[in-house]
Amino acid sequence: MHHLARLLATERRARGTRKSTRALTCFRQALMVLVWFRKGGDKTLLGAGFAVSRATAYRYITEAITVLSAQAPDLHTALRRVADEGWSHVILDVGDIVRASLVLTHFEHRYLPDSR
């Protein structure tokens, strides 16, 4: 949790976010996001538990996913690393990637005017 809070604080500084302008501190935002990762569920209810709106909950979760994903290696780098380490097998679960792609495509088609 502290690692994610530090990443969020770094992101806020990079964006030039002024202190005390966010509904949650970086620590509380990290806690909310980790609860969402662990339990999933309705973001409206999650947001209410942290005294933020549904829109803020969505925005905070998206922001945290963005800062976490920036830390992850891309597929080619990860495969190169396991090859260098001598792994004989690697199992790739592309289900989440395919689902995320389908959701993004649906969102772009439905909500972005230039994508039609």
Side-chain angles (χ1 to χ4, degrees), residues 7-111:
L7 291 174
L8 291 167
T10 302
E11 178 65 18
R12 287 183 185 185
R13 277 192 300 276
R15 291 182 180 191
T17 303
R18 295 181 316 276
K19 289 189 181 273
S20 301
T21 59
R22 293 289 196 102
L24 298 177
T25 64
C26 295
F27 183 83
R28 296 275 298 160
Q29 181 182 353
L31 178 61
M32 183 187 78
V33 170
L34 293 175
V35 166
W36 179 76
F37 275 131
R38 177 75 170 116
K39 299 236 180 214
D42 182 26
K43 290 179 188 72
T44 303
L45 185 60
L46 176 68
F50 284 86
V52 297
S53 69
R54 178 178 64 171
T56 300
Y58 269 94
R59 190 172 64 249
Y60 280 5
I61 290 168
T62 301
E63 180 181 22
I65 290 170
T66 301
V67 299
L68 285 172
S69 65
Q71 302 296 308
D74 65 2
L75 180 60
H76 295 289
T77 303
L79 290 175
R80 194 172 310 116
R81 182 182 307 161
V82 298
D84 291 345
E85 292 177 7
W87 292 28
S88 62
H89 296 81
V90 177
I91 299 172
L92 300 176
D93 181 2
V94 297
D96 289 336
I97 296 169
V98 170
R99 280 189 293 280
S101 177
L102 291 172
V103 168
L104 181 60
T105 301
H106 172 73
F107 174 82
E108 289 174 342
H109 178 72
R110 186 161 184 196
Y111 297 105

